[in-house]
Amino acid sequence: MEKYSQYRDRGTGIAPFIPITTQTSALHLPLAAVLFALRAPVLLTISLSYFLFLQFMPLGSLFQKGILWICMLVAGVFWVDLQVEGVKRGTLSRHPDKLPSPGSIIASTFTSPLDALYLSATFDPIFLVPSFDTPYVFQLSLLQTILYTFSPPTSKPYSTKPTTISEVLSKNPHRIIVIFPEGTTSNGRALLRFSPALDTFATQYKQSRENGHASDVGIPKNKIFPISLRYLPANTTTPLPGSYGVFLWRLLSQPSHNIKVRIGEAVKISELEMADDMLLATSSSETITEKTVARNLPTDERVPRTGALEEKVGEILVRVGRIRRVGLGVKEKIGFWNAWKAQGRKLKK
């Protein structure tokens, strides 16, 4: 892997685009083959039935969520370890405000097709994927989001119409919105550099405040929930495009999979606006010690500093997911993917 050293984060040494491989013993191969042979036809049948027919039928959200959970069970996802920041185990029912609700935004890590499947089975959200070089996002269906995890990074997935987070919220006030701010998948060992969409969302609030229309776009009341998803075994991530066969083999040949879900404390732009004196910019690839001091303005005139929302969400994801933040993003992944293809590397099972 020496030839890919330029795609390691300089501060941490983490290589977020190299696929994770695990050693498989010769004794395990027969069991793995049997599990794959039994699960693959069942999962294929249920998936095709859902995406071709059932999702378009008026069966209700609960029924459709149930089908997705069945898909996860067939794939071997038998346990979801859910923890909510600031809530003790067994007391979650007393804190409904700690969970995403209609009108909320989920900022999720992005490592595997299971991300979209789990979030859809749990929250029935609208999925947004940001452009890495523009402030826009693209609204995708569940199937498009799953397929996007296997696609090369692009600024315009599936030729869908670009939009903004606030536009999607205004058109769907009773739905939960999921955005993957990294814009592309990693191997789950680090949090990538965010695309501009979240910062644009905060900027729009700033502009609406200046124009006196902040309440019209509904931004102050929308909570942003950072959610970290990690998997055991960790080799079900898809940092490389086109790894359909490898992913399915790793998913269906393992006896079981666990998902660690960590929901961070909700963030509100109006609270960022009131976050008083200092905001410290952070980056793991180069240490920044300079603090940005907010302007000494009256409380009702303060607006979020540029990048404040992105930094706050990133800080929470790093904390609850127990990972490091790196200075690499979609552009670096494009370079890595081109270098990987040039070397003619083949994925290992």
Side-chain angles (χ1 to χ4, degrees), residues 11 23 66 72 82 107 112 146 178 196 228 256 261 271 282-284 287 301 317 320 328 345:
Q23 298 295 329
M72 296 178 67
L82 173 64
S112 170
I146 291 174
V178 169
S228 171
S256 65
V261 183
E271 294 176 354
T282 60
S283 171
S284 64
T287 303
E301 295 183 21
L317 284 175
V320 300
L328 304 175
R345 297 298 298 263

Side-chain angles (χ1 to χ4, degrees), residues 121-338:
T122 306
F123 301 108
D124 187 27
I126 294 173
F127 291 102
L128 301 179
V129 174
S131 168
F132 73 91
D133 56 357
T134 71
Y136 297 105
V137 296
F138 299 89
Q139 182 174 332
L140 303 182
S141 65
L142 171 60
L143 180 59
Q144 288 176 322
T145 306
I146 291 174
L147 295 177
Y148 185 73
T149 62
F150 299 103
S151 302
T154 176
S155 61
K156 194 175 182 181
Y158 301 108
S159 300
T160 54
K161 183 180 178 181
T163 182
T164 63
I165 299 175
S166 57
E167 287 179 2
V168 177
L169 281 171
S170 63
K171 294 178 181 178
N172 304 275
H174 303 298
R175 296 288 300 278
I176 295 175
I177 308 297
V178 169
I179 182 171
F180 300 102
E182 296 167 281
T184 188
T185 54
S186 69
N187 58 16
R189 290 179 172 171
L191 186 69
L192 303 180
R193 185 177 64 244
F194 284 1
S195 298
L198 276 182
D199 200 25
T200 301
F201 183 54
T203 300
Q204 184 173 4
Y205 170 63
K206 176 179 178 179
Q207 293 172 346
S208 62
R209 279 294 303 269
E210 293 172 349
N211 296 330
H213 302 296
S215 60
D216 295 343
V217 296
I219 293 177
K221 64 182 180 181
N222 292 115
K223 293 182 179 181
I224 303 173
F225 288 85
I227 294 184
S228 171
L229 300 170
R230 301 186 69 182
Y231 303 95
L232 293 175
N235 62 353
T236 52
T237 57
T238 55
L240 287 182
S243 54
Y244 299 94
V246 173
F247 170 77
L248 287 175
W249 169 258
R250 292 174 175 173
L251 179 68
L252 301 180
S253 64
Q254 300 275 359
S256 65
H257 300 272
N258 296 338
I259 305 179
K260 290 187 175 182
V261 183
R262 301 293 182 262
I263 302 179
E265 182 181 357
V267 177
K268 294 181 69 175
I269 293 182
S270 57
E271 294 176 354
L272 283 179
E273 164 204 28
M274 300 298 293
D276 204 275
D277 306 316
M278 301 180 183
L279 289 171
L280 178 62
T282 60
S283 171
S284 64
S285 59
E286 53 179 337
T287 303
I288 300 176
T289 57
E290 185 180 53
K291 294 183 179 180
T292 304
V293 183
R295 293 177 300 173
N296 188 20
L297 293 177
T299 299
D300 58 353
E301 295 183 21
R302 295 184 199 156
V303 293
R305 178 176 60 82
T306 300
L309 178 59
E310 174 186 320
E311 290 173 9
K312 183 65 174 179
V313 171
E315 172 194 335
I316 295 175
L317 284 175
V318 166
R319 182 174 69 247
V320 300
R322 296 184 179 181
I323 54 178
R324 303 288 295 275
R325 195 170 188 183
V326 297
L328 304 175
V330 178
K331 291 183 179 180
E332 289 75 18
K333 182 173 178 178
I334 292 174
F336 174 82
W337 176 232
N338 291 334

Side-chain angles (χ1 to χ4, degrees), residues 7-181:
Y7 300 108
R8 290 183 179 271
D9 181 65
R10 289 178 294 177
T12 63
I14 297 174
F17 307 131
I18 295 178
I20 298 174
T21 59
T22 56
Q23 298 295 329
T24 303
S25 65
L27 296 177
H28 175 70
L29 285 176
L31 174 61
V34 170
L35 288 174
F36 183 86
L38 292 175
R39 289 172 171 173
V42 178
L43 182 62
L44 181 62
T45 301
I46 298 175
S47 300
L48 289 177
S49 300
Y50 177 79
F51 288 116
L52 293 179
F53 305 107
L54 297 179
Q55 68 171 334
F56 304 109
M57 299 178 67
L59 300 175
S61 174
L62 186 62
F63 182 83
Q64 295 192 359
K65 287 181 179 180
I67 296 175
L68 297 178
W69 277 111
I70 291 174
C71 289
M72 296 178 67
L73 288 172
V74 171
V77 180
F78 300 137
W79 180 256
V80 177
D81 179 15
L82 173 64
Q83 291 186 21
V84 180
E85 190 175 32
V87 177
K88 294 182 179 179
R89 288 185 180 273
T91 64
L92 184 57
S93 59
R94 306 176 193 171
H95 305 276
D97 58 318
K98 296 290 186 178
L99 292 175
S101 57
S104 301
I105 301 170
I106 293 175
S108 173
T109 54
F110 199 26
T111 61
S112 170
L114 292 175
D115 296 340
L117 192 62
Y118 170 79
L119 292 171
S120 187
T122 306
F123 301 108
D124 187 27
I126 294 173
F127 291 102
L128 301 179
V129 174
S131 168
F132 73 91
D133 56 357
T134 71
Y136 297 105
V137 296
F138 299 89
Q139 182 174 332
L140 303 182
S141 65
L142 171 60
L143 180 59
Q144 288 176 322
T145 306
I146 291 174
L147 295 177
Y148 185 73
T149 62
F150 299 103
S151 302
T154 176
S155 61
K156 194 175 182 181
Y158 301 108
S159 300
T160 54
K161 183 180 178 181
T163 182
T164 63
I165 299 175
S166 57
E167 287 179 2
V168 177
L169 281 171
S170 63
K171 294 178 181 178
N172 304 275
H174 303 298
R175 296 288 300 278
I176 295 175
I177 308 297
V178 169
I179 182 171
F180 300 102

